Amino acid sequence: MASDKASNSNPKVAEAEKLVKKADKLTKFSFTKWFPDWTAATPLYEQAANAFKLAKMPEAAKIAYEKAATGQERSSSPWSAGKHLESAGGLARELGNFDEVIDLYKRASELYVQCGKVQPAADALDKGARAVEDVKPDAAVRMYIDACALLEEDGRDQMAFDSYRSAASIYIKLNRYEDAATVFLRWGQAADKCKAVQSQCKAYLSAIIVYLFADNFNLADASYNDCSQMDSFFKSDQNHCAVQLLSAYREGRPDEIKHVVSTSSVIPHLDHMVIRLAKQLPSGKVTAIVDETGHNGLDEDDLR
Amino acid sequence: MSVIDILTRVDVLCKKYEKYDLDKQWAGADSMSGNDQFLRLYTVVEADIEAAREKSQDAQSEKNRAVVATLNAEVRRSKAALKAEIPKLEKLAAKKVKDLSKEEMAARPDLVVALAQKIEDIPDGVTVGRRGGTWGRKASNPLEIKLDAMHPDDLMRPEHYEQTEESLALRQEYEMRRAKQDEGLDIIAAGLTTLKDMAGDINEELDKQMPLIDEVDTKVDRAAADLKNTNIRLKETLTKMRSNRNFCIDLILIVLILGIGGTLYTYSFSPFTPSFVCLQPLLMYQQSFAVTREQLSVFILNAIVSF
């Protein structure tokens, strides 16, 4: 009904619908048509889709874009196909079909990979994830991580930083702190590969803070031990701050923890969600951690 | 030092110490005061005392403690110098000078004593039993080196190690200023860490964008080369298409067609044909074949315009 009204009021829309019908006819199998004529149909679909979009009819525009994308795919131009699918995805988000959004963006990304263009593929995944992150955070996170993996495979680690950041922020929002910390550690690893020392140190410090916020001192300590093996982190200010935090935790002094967080010069430069967590430290009960593993089986009386 | 410098300095010095230039001072004066060394020295010492007193007045009214200390030191120095003059005065006082009355002679030693007392009275910022910490003596006398200047009794006095109000105030001020400086330094440190962080981020961003720009560079180079090739090929094609020979052939053909059209019009003659008038010269020229290419083109253009 609405579309009828719209088509009545807007001659362009009517024209667009005509184009779609024409293109459909070209592509449908019939007695006279053994092979669908995509090369002729695709531009028609594109025109129609543009007209629908201008006329603010997202449903029809989306369908037209999808068909145009199929046409381009068949005509072996995956790049244009990917572009159309991205547009379709954007429209689907307006319509609120989030499953379809994910699907469309994933397909677009695959097409880009087919052309060999990794960066747009990752961008498509990012866009899709951003579109659905409020509604379907799990799927969004997965898409972010896939984007990171894509870029890392291609050797463009530095472009992955933004995706890592988004993924970690979603995990923190979902209160999945261990996962968030894992993402931060992966981020640190990626930064290490491309020698981005500052990002690396920030990522490691963020991981430690997240672990501490999750009340998981052992994991924090273990990850600190791992990270401190790296020269670039060891010599940084972030390392210093981490040492202070962990020692404050080990001694079980919440006021010291607060003092470290408030006077630290590096914590205000981390990502804002991590800063928020840091300001809420200590989050749980802080008791002095007794070093049980200190003796390592060596007994004082064992003087052999 | 150049000669001029030396001359100017000598002039300044002479002017400064004019009052000590006895020949100048007392030249033309009466012989009595010319010979009276006591009087001379007395007046000199008196003048010095006045100067020292003025300085001590300044020191008392001065707020800046460093300036106070300097002035006090100067006053003390002058006092010591004057005190050294006193024995000389005494000697001169005892000397007999001619043409001087008995009373005046008797009065002179008293004058000397009074002068000595005046010197003592000049306040120089030193109170009984020197107290105060090191701040009171910031600018010590550069010429005089006093060792063990403190009287041993003074040292044993308990007040010796107390703090005056002035030194307390100074210490407080010092602490306050230091605290303010610390605050300022903290702010600067915070700003610097922010700058450092931003600089690091900018650095990483630039590293990230470098390969992208390189890619863009190669692609643009490729596109430019393609364009260049295309342009050259297009030029070649155009020149081939638009050679003079073809142009003339086109012109002549157009002329022929127009001529044929014109003759057709004349055969279906109508005086209201607006083109008839223009075609007349064309027909005339067509009949005579001795025409140049340029004239033809000119008339054809006229014809086209009139159409």
Side-chain angles (χ1 to χ4, degrees), chain B residues 36 38-39 93 99-109 111:
Chain B
D36 198 355
F38 173 82
L39 207 55
D99 301 329
L100 205 60
S101 64
K102 278 255 169 22
E103 294 89 13
E104 281 202 27
M105 280 302 301
R108 279 194 180 180
L111 281 172

Side-chain angles (χ1 to χ4, degrees), chain A residues 62-239:
Chain A
K62 179 172 74 78
I63 296 174
Y65 270 125
E66 282 181 47
K67 295 210 182 115
T70 336
Q72 294 283 12
E73 219 182 313
R74 303 275 169 92
S75 329
S76 334
S77 48
W79 173 262
S80 322
K83 282 221 113 48
H84 290 317
L85 282 175
E86 275 194 31
S87 324
L91 291 163
R93 182 167 70 88
E94 272 177 54
L95 290 168
N97 308 343
F98 292 107
D99 290 314
E100 233 180 302
V101 172
I102 299 174
D103 191 42
L104 286 166
Y105 274 113
K106 276 206 187 130
R107 270 171 59 197
S109 158
E110 282 163 25
L111 286 165
Y112 285 133
V113 169
Q114 250 178 40
C115 317
K117 309 254 166 96
V118 177
Q119 182 67 48
D123 285 341
L125 283 173
D126 274 341
K127 268 189 246 173
R130 203 171 311 138
V132 302
E133 67 183 356
D134 295 321
V135 182
K136 288 183 180 289
D138 294 313
V141 161
R142 240 170 292 135
M143 283 170 91
Y144 277 128
I145 296 186
D146 288 336
C148 301
L150 258 177
L151 288 165
E152 280 181 4
E153 269 171 50
D154 203 42
R156 295 161 172 262
D157 297 87
Q158 278 198 312
M159 302 300 184
F161 289 175
D162 292 323
S163 308
Y164 277 127
R165 182 181 297 125
S166 319
S169 76
I170 295 185
Y171 272 137
I172 290 181
K173 250 195 279 185
L174 295 173
N175 293 344
R176 284 161 65 169
Y177 297 115
E178 272 84 19
D179 294 324
T182 325
V183 168
F184 276 124
L185 289 170
R186 263 184 75 179
W187 184 356
Q189 187 191 338
D192 186 46
K193 224 164 73 169
C194 47
K195 306 266 174 290
V197 174
Q198 212 193 17
S199 291
Q200 181 189 12
C201 301
K202 283 204 240 186
Y204 287 145
L205 184 61
S206 310
I208 293 174
I209 290 179
V210 168
Y211 274 135
L212 288 173
F213 185 80
D215 243 351
N216 202 332
F217 178 76
N218 297 327
L219 272 177
D221 206 22
S223 56
Y224 172 73
N225 285 335
D226 293 330
C227 303
S228 56
Q229 303 291 331
M230 271 166 272
D231 226 6
S232 43
F233 178 68
F234 193 68
K235 291 192 207 150
S236 66
D237 299 328
Q238 283 87 357
N239 176 45

Side-chain angles (χ1 to χ4, degrees), chain B residues 200-239:
Chain B
D201 285 341
I202 292 175
N203 186 25
E204 284 186 2
E205 202 58 43
L206 285 172
D207 286 337
K208 206 194 280 189
Q209 309 220 341
M210 211 172 59
L212 295 177
I213 293 185
D214 288 336
E215 266 181 48
V216 170
D217 201 22
T218 38
K219 286 190 183 160
V220 166
D221 283 339
R222 212 182 304 149
D226 283 340
L227 260 175
K228 215 166 160 188
N229 282 338
T230 314
N231 275 343
I232 292 172
R233 291 216 317 263
L234 194 63
K235 215 185 212 172
E236 283 174 20
T237 321
L238 268 176
T239 44

Side-chain angles (χ1 to χ4, degrees), chain B residues 168-216:
Chain B
L168 255 177
L170 187 67
R171 189 186 267 273
Q172 266 176 0
E173 203 179 320
Y174 163 79
E175 299 285 344
M176 218 169 59
R177 292 223 179 140
R178 197 187 189 146
K180 264 208 198 104
Q181 276 183 4
D182 283 341
E183 257 178 51
L185 282 173
D186 283 335
I187 295 174
I188 293 176
L192 276 176
T193 43
T194 313
L195 274 176
K196 176 184 167 194
D197 180 68
M198 274 174 22
D201 285 341
I202 292 175
N203 186 25
E204 284 186 2
E205 202 58 43
L206 285 172
D207 286 337
K208 206 194 280 189
Q209 309 220 341
M210 211 172 59
L212 295 177
I213 293 185
D214 288 336
E215 266 181 48
V216 170

Side-chain angles (χ1 to χ4, degrees), chain B residues 120-136:
Chain B
E120 281 297 327
D121 285 338
I122 299 176
D124 61 355
V126 172
T127 45
V128 173
R130 286 194 179 167
R131 303 188 221 160
T134 48
W135 290 289

